[in-house]
């Protein structure tokens, strides 16, 4: 027996049809409103959005998405999730793949990673990827993957600047700590000597012989000289740090200048090694900053005298040719241990074999800073227990012209 199917054709009342039409009209208006709001959000947002259907391969993205990737929207019509790799800097591709696979395989709640994109204009730019699988099938296989991409290059630059400033501040704090520690240590010895000598003179003034008083006064003077040297070094270095080291380039007689300087150093160090001087000057007139050059030469000559036995030699050689000045200061002193030579221009650094000799560890820092200010440079070679040679090279002319005093 065949089944009979009865279809009842029931016409809806006019009022009910009107209600349905009104409902559909309102729904369409709401959809239009939502679309308009979405367009407004996309228009004012700096984010790039994507929505990829992993099953059908269809993809939605806004114009910012293409702009951040650095391409035109029509270039992304066949975009696939694996195509992200082609935009990411090679060095960051592995960490992006690892983060993406971790999320796709349900091992993380979000894809949340910062990487660099290729950028032909600036080399690369920093971006933040934040995405999520928003739909799975019954077997928990991902079907839709949506998210946003944000250009955070300016933020990264600011972060790096803050990090650099914090690092500089940390280094500066360490430098100040070392400075206080070193100065405190170095001040103790001369101050203790001055205190001891003055107490002795005060207590035994009538019992002391002329020779004994002379010896004590000599110790006081020597200690005062040490204090003055430390204060001078600190003052000079502080001027470099605050860019207050002044003085203009002026022409002067380099032979007379260095000869007077050597005599001054010898006068301040009565018991010293023999200083042998050699001049080779086609033109004895040099144009440079005399104050800076004086700091350089006094520091190097004083070190040579300080670390060289009195029965050994110190050599001072000056060569002036064309537009360059070359000065070599060589001693037959203690030398610098080979494994410590890389540190000698660091502030407050002192080689291990001179720890029992007074000094702040600032002299060679001042020398290097001064030569750089003169547009020059310094080289050295040293053998422990044999001696050290410093070679200074700097321009000798003002504006590459002949100079007259």
């Amino acid at each position: 027996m065949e089944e009979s199917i009865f279809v009842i054709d029931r016409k809806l009342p006019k009022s009910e049809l009107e209600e349905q039409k009104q409902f559909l009209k309102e729904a369409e208006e709401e959809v239009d409103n939502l679309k308009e709001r979405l367009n407004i959000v996309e228009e004012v947002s700096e984010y790039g959005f994507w929505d990829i259907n992993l099953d059908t391969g269809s993809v939605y993205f806004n114009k910012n998405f293409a702009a951040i990737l650095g391409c035109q929207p029509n270039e992304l019509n066949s975009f696939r999730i694996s195509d992200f790799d082609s935009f990411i800097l090679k060095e960051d591709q592995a960490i992006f793949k690892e983060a993406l696979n971790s999320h796709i395989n349900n091992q993380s709640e979000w894809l949340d990673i910062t990487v660099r994109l290729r950028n032909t204009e600036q080399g690369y730019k920093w971006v933040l990827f934040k995405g999520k699988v928003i739909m799975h099938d019954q077997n928990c296989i991902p079907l839709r993957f949506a998210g946003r991409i944000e250009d955070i290059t300016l933020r990264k630059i600011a972060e790096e600047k803050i990090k650099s400033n914090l690092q500089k501040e940390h280094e500066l704090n360490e430098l100040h700590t070392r400075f206080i520690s070193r100065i405190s240590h170095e001040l103790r010895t001369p101050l203790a000597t001055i205190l001891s000598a003055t107490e002795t003179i005060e207590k035994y003034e009538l019992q002391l012989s002329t020779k004994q008083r002379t010896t004590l006064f000599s110790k006081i003077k020597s200690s005062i000289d040490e204090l003055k040297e430390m204060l001078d070094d600190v003052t000079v270095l502080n001027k470099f740090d605050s860019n207050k080291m002044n003085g203009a380039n002026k022409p002067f007689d380099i032979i007379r200048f260095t000869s007077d300087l050597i005599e001054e150093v010898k006068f301040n160090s009565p018991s010293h090694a023999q200083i042998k001087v050699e001049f080779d000057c086609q033109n004895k007139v040099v144009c440079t900053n005399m104050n800076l050059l004086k700091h350089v030469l006094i520091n190097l000559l004083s070190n040579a005298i300080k670390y060289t036995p009195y029965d050994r030699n110190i050599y001072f050689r000056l060569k002036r040719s064309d537009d360059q000045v070359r000065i070599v200061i060589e001693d037959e002193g203690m030398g610098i241990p080979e494994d410590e030579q890389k540190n000698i221009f660091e502030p407050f650094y002192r080689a291990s074999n001179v720890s029992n000799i007074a000094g702040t560890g600032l002299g060679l820092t001042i020398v290097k800073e001064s030569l750089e200010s003169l547009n020059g440079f310094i080289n050295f070679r040293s053998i422990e227990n044999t001696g050290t040679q410093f070679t200074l090279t700097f321009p000798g002319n003002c504006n590459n012209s002949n100079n007259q005093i």
Side-chain angles (χ1 to χ4, degrees):
M1 182 176 178
E2 294 181 358
E3 294 183 359
S4 298
I5 299 176
F6 297 94
V7 178
I8 299 175
D9 186 11
R10 184 175 69 86
K11 291 186 177 179
L12 294 174
K14 187 175 180 181
S15 61
E16 193 172 341
L17 282 172
E18 290 297 327
E19 287 178 5
Q20 288 189 2
K21 286 181 180 179
Q22 182 63 28
F23 175 79
L24 289 173
K25 181 181 178 182
E26 291 176 356
E28 288 174 355
E29 288 177 352
E30 183 63 24
V31 169
D32 289 340
N33 287 335
L34 289 174
K35 285 181 178 179
E36 184 181 3
R37 289 172 187 167
L38 180 60
N39 289 334
I40 291 172
V41 169
E42 289 186 352
E43 191 68 32
V44 300
S45 173
E46 295 179 349
Y47 298 149
F49 298 103
W50 79 82
D51 182 0
I52 302 175
N53 189 314
L54 302 175
D55 183 36
T56 65
S58 64
V59 58
Y60 164 80
F61 54 84
N62 68 343
K63 62 180 182 180
N64 283 343
F65 180 77
I68 292 174
L69 291 183
C71 57
Q72 297 299 320
N74 58 9
E75 298 178 66
L76 300 176
N77 291 334
S78 58
F79 189 85
R80 297 290 181 270
I81 192 170
S82 58
D83 293 336
F84 278 124
D85 247 13
S86 61
F87 295 95
I88 296 172
L89 208 63
K90 185 177 180 181
E91 291 83 353
D92 292 351
Q93 287 178 4
I95 59 170
F96 180 80
K97 282 182 182 178
E98 183 180 354
L100 179 61
N101 291 335
S102 174
H103 176 65
I104 295 296
N105 295 325
N106 299 316
Q107 295 172 355
S108 62
E109 185 179 359
W110 288 87
L111 167 69
D112 189 349
I113 188 168
T114 299
V115 293
R116 292 166 294 177
L117 297 187
R118 295 189 184 94
N119 187 332
T120 54
E121 293 180 1
Q122 301 171 353
Y124 64 85
K125 59 183 172 183
W126 287 97
V127 296
L128 170 65
F129 281 96
K130 187 146 189 173
K132 189 172 186 178
V133 173
I134 58 175
M135 185 181 294
H136 297 80
D137 66 10
Q138 63 272 21
N139 297 316
C140 209
I141 302 298
L143 292 179
R144 285 181 67 189
F145 179 49
R148 64 179 174 84
I149 181 174
E150 178 185 1
D151 186 340
I152 60 169
T153 303
L154 294 179
R155 186 196 311 170
K156 270 289 184 180
I157 292 173
E159 287 175 358
E160 290 299 320
K161 188 174 181 179
I162 291 171
K163 187 187 295 184
S164 174
N165 289 339
L166 288 173
Q167 179 63 27
K168 287 179 181 177
E169 185 178 350
H170 176 70
E171 291 173 357
L172 188 60
N173 288 336
E174 280 192 345
L175 197 62
H176 286 165
T177 301
R178 286 167 58 194
F179 168 77
I180 293 170
S181 175
R182 171 65 69 181
I183 292 298
S184 298
H185 174 76
E186 293 299 334
L187 286 174
R188 285 193 188 101
T189 301
L191 288 175
T193 301
I194 293 170
L195 181 62
S196 174
T198 52
E199 285 179 346
T200 302
I201 293 171
E202 184 180 13
K203 189 173 182 179
Y204 302 104
E205 181 180 3
L206 299 177
Q207 292 95 319
L208 292 173
S209 66
T210 302
K211 183 178 180 181
Q212 288 172 323
R213 279 198 293 268
T214 301
T215 300
L216 290 170
F217 281 124
S218 177
K219 287 182 178 180
I220 292 172
K221 182 182 181 303
S222 176
S223 296
I224 291 172
D225 288 341
E226 285 183 35
L227 291 173
K228 182 179 181 298
E229 180 187 349
M230 278 188 276
L231 292 174
D232 287 346
D233 284 350
V234 171
T235 301
V236 171
L237 198 60
N238 182 60
K239 285 182 178 179
F240 277 116
D241 289 340
S242 58
N243 295 318
K244 291 180 179 178
M245 202 64 188
N246 51 26
N249 290 353
K250 294 180 180 178
F252 59 94
D253 185 329
I254 187 69
I255 294 179
R256 179 182 298 174
F257 172 77
T258 53
S259 297
D260 292 344
L261 205 61
I262 291 169
E263 290 303 315
E264 179 184 335
V265 172
K266 288 166 66 176
F267 178 80
N268 291 327
S269 306
S271 178
H272 59 76
Q274 179 67 32
I275 301 179
K276 297 186 176 182
V277 180
E278 296 178 17
F279 294 119
D280 180 9
C281 298
Q282 297 175 5
N283 179 5
K284 66 180 182 179
V285 179
V286 165
C287 183
T288 190
N289 188 317
M290 291 177 65
N291 291 332
L292 291 179
L293 185 57
K294 184 175 182 179
H295 286 304
V296 171
L297 298 181
I298 284 181
N299 267 293
L300 292 178
L301 286 169
S302 298
N303 280 352
I305 289 172
K306 187 187 296 185
Y307 304 126
T308 303
Y310 70 91
D311 59 342
R312 301 286 183 86
N313 294 315
I314 296 171
Y315 301 93
F316 182 94
R317 305 184 186 96
L318 186 150
K319 183 179 179 63
R320 168 76 159 97
S321 59
D322 298 328
D323 62 343
Q324 244 183 16
V325 179
R326 184 170 178 266
I327 296 175
V328 176
I329 298 175
E330 182 178 0
D331 65 58
E332 297 175 348
M334 302 171 66
I336 305 165
E338 185 175 358
D339 60 341
E340 300 179 35
Q341 293 181 9
K342 61 182 181 296
N343 301 316
I344 67 167
F345 294 110
E346 294 296 321
F348 304 107
Y349 186 83
R350 303 196 70 218
S352 57
N353 60 341
V354 298
S355 57
N356 62 334
I357 301 176
T360 61
L362 293 174
L364 289 179
T365 304
I366 292 171
V367 166
K368 187 172 183 292
E369 294 273 3
S370 298
L371 274 170
E372 288 177 355
S373 296
L374 295 175
N375 296 319
F377 55 90
I378 182 170
N379 293 318
F380 78 97
R381 59 182 178 85
S382 184
I383 302 174
E384 193 172 6
N385 299 320
T386 300
T388 302
Q389 181 189 87
F390 286 96
T391 302
L392 324 174
T393 307
F394 56 93
N397 291 340
C398 290
N399 301 323
N400 295 321
S401 62
N402 291 325
N403 306 289
Q404 294 182 350
I405 300 176

